[in-house]
Amino acid sequence: MGGEAHHGKRRGNFIQRTIDSLAETLERSLYAEQFAEERGILQRLDPRVKLVAVLGFIICSAASRNLPVVGAIALVAVVLALLSRIPFTSLTPVWIGMFVFSGLIAGPAIFLTPGPSLATLPWLGWHVSSYGLRSAALLILRSEVSITFSVLLVMTTPWIHVMKSMRVVGVPTTVVVILGMTYRYIFLMLQSASDMFEARQSRVIGKLSDSDARRLASATVGVLLSKSFQLSNDVYLAMQSRGFRGEVYTLDEFRLGQNDYIAIPLIFTIFVSGIWFGLV
Amino acid sequence: MDALFTLNNIRYDYANTAQPALHDVSMTIMRGQRVAIMGANGSGKSTLLRILDGLYFPKSGTITAFGEPLDEHHLMDDTYAHAFRKRVAFVFQNPDVQLFNPTVYDEVAFGPLQMRWDKEKIARSVAETLDMLEISHLRDRAPHRLSGGEKKRVAIASVLILDPEVILLDEPTAALDPKSQSMVVDFLVGWANSGKTIVTATHDLDTVPDIADDAYIFQQGTIVAHDTPANLLQNHELLLAANLIHAHHHHHDGVPHTHPHFHLGHEHDHSGEI
């Protein structure tokens, strides 16, 4: 990869394509920060206000037992993405990924939760419980809301500002140090993984048998894990060497502007309404 | 000249390895000295630099920096840590681990921000440093998108901006194209009379006479020789034993022969034929 994201048609197996696209997505969200330069609605807000708002919306959806309320918060996220000029092409992979992961966790509840049966699966004879379906939908929707707001925050705010805002709102230094390190480390690790797969591919002739492919994949994961320890250590040492001790200093001073004074009561109203209607 | 670093019987072990990374290392680095730490891969050069930068702490032995013990306890103190980080800079071998800011400008400004310089001074110093390293045109680029040579220059700029007294460089010319290599070497040569103390870990013997006045050879975690670069580079037996040169078979004027092989001043050195 050599620090560059792949463009154009990629070769390679499923794992390599996944690593490459993860690296590309991370690069876009963590580095390019082109969306942070856009003059959208979220980009005009003070990072501290954005961070508190995102945490508020996530708490609100997590606390809510009411599906339409969580749906309404999800709608707020989509509207904010539109008004912040975040293209849906950047959000869709995140939504699909979260749907698959949370779906795997929530899926069994559809059949296992006791309650009135809505339908029965052909052949298997499993009953789709209405309570189970509601629980699964709630869990998936909450996960989608959380990931969407988190991604919106990262895409519309330079990462260093996110870290500084965390310190302002009282996130402990250790957590900020770990996040700062992770920011660089994840990208380097994906680069490393992609390089390893490419190097492997260049030495493999023909198609490997399934067992050989599995053996190679597990060996690669082992080497990558060992490399990742070294890498995380080096990233931390490099930050420490240049005087980083967990406190984040930036060239830009945070100042609340007119937009923030309009946004704060609006966000507060949505938050309180969400909690109120979500719990009743 | 006064002693900046004094190391006495240093030993360092990595977890799960039988062989110590460093053992019985004693040395003194004087103010304004340019020191080369030579050794093959795995000889302990990088570990030594990390100890000098207060990133690793020896398992046994003592180290003092600027007349005070350099240990974990002292570096826990904010005032001491700030003063030390301001005075000692480290350029890592892999610039990728060192560059973590969104733009080159932010990268170079990162150190001064940690030192809490005022914004005007930071803006002025960043502009000057970018100019000095001839990378002003890269100021708004993302560091990870640059070429290897450009990354190295940004890494050097990001530590030079603090005007440190000591610069530690780990394999500064490794994996660079010839033009970038010569740029880095020119920088190191240019610091000859700057009063800065430069410690360079390298196995690139070609550059050592230009960048150092004093040199150590490391092998299996310990010092096996200490002399001037000129004297050490003449000792082919020692260089061969330390895996810094290799004997190989090749042709000169159609005559095949074998001798220890390395390049100095772009000339083949044949004096140690075996």
Side-chain angles (χ1 to χ4, degrees), chain A:
Chain A
M1 249 173 87
E4 299 281 337
H6 288 280
H7 297 288
K9 196 173 176 185
R10 276 189 299 266
R11 292 185 64 201
N13 61 15
F14 169 74
I15 299 173
Q16 192 186 343
R17 286 197 305 273
T18 308
I19 289 170
D20 286 349
S21 65
L22 266 173
E24 270 184 39
T25 309
L26 266 170
E27 183 181 3
R28 269 203 304 272
S29 60
L30 296 180
Y31 285 98
E33 297 187 342
Q34 72 268 39
F35 303 124
E37 300 294 316
E38 292 275 350
R39 300 301 298 159
I41 194 163
L42 283 176
Q43 290 87 338
R44 287 167 203 258
L45 293 184
D46 184 287
R48 292 166 299 178
V49 174
K50 263 189 279 187
L51 180 68
V52 173
V54 162
L55 288 175
F57 286 133
I58 291 174
I59 290 169
C60 204
S61 71
S64 177
R65 295 191 295 257
N66 191 325
L67 197 57
V69 169
V70 183
I73 299 170
L75 193 67
V76 171
V78 173
V79 171
L80 283 175
L82 277 172
L83 295 176
S84 306
R85 301 178 190 180
I86 304 293
F88 282 166
T89 46
S90 299
L91 291 171
T92 316
V94 178
W95 286 335
I96 294 171
M98 184 48 84
F99 181 81
V100 172
F101 280 113
S102 55
L104 282 173
I105 296 164
I110 298 173
F111 309 105
L112 297 175
T113 310
S117 173
L118 288 178
T120 305
L121 285 191
W123 296 308
L124 291 169
W126 295 354
H127 295 288
V128 176
S129 142
S130 64
Y131 293 158
L133 195 63
R134 192 181 159 282
S135 303
L138 202 57
L139 184 90
I140 291 170
L141 205 54
R142 278 175 183 160
S143 312
E144 293 286 7
V145 166
S146 305
I147 195 80
T148 309
F149 275 113
S150 308
V151 167
L152 284 181
L153 173 71
V154 173
M155 280 187 166
T156 59
T157 321
W159 181 243
I160 198 90
H161 289 178
V162 177
M163 281 168 56
K164 186 176 174 178
S165 307
M166 285 179 179
R167 286 295 297 135
V168 173
V169 300
V171 176
T173 314
T174 318
V175 176
V176 175
V177 171
I178 291 169
L179 281 172
M181 232 167 71
T182 313
Y183 164 74
R184 186 77 192 115
Y185 161 72
I186 292 179
F187 186 73
L188 284 176
M189 204 182 83
L190 286 170
Q191 249 185 2
S192 229
S194 180
D195 288 347
M196 280 171 70
F197 273 100
E198 275 181 5
R200 196 187 82 177
Q201 206 178 10
S202 72
R203 287 180 289 154
V204 170
I205 299 163
K207 194 179 181 310
L208 288 174
S209 69
D210 286 351
S211 61
D212 280 345
R214 274 198 302 275
R215 195 175 47 78
L216 261 175
S218 59
T220 308
V221 169
V223 173
L224 191 63
L225 190 68
S226 148
K227 268 187 164 185
S228 72
F229 281 125
Q230 181 62 43
L231 207 55
S232 61
N233 190 37
D234 282 356
V235 170
Y236 177 59
L237 293 181
M239 293 174 83
Q240 225 186 344
S241 172
R242 283 164 69 195
F244 182 68
R245 295 173 68 77
E247 212 51 68
V248 184
Y249 304 99
T250 62
L251 285 166
D252 314 292
E253 288 298 337
F254 291 165
R255 269 194 204 93
L256 291 182
Q258 199 186 353
N259 296 322
D260 300 302
Y261 290 116
I262 298 168
I264 290 168
L266 203 65
I267 292 162
F268 186 71
T269 310
I270 297 173
F271 177 73
V272 172
S273 315
I275 292 283
W276 178 262
F277 290 110
L279 292 178
V280 289

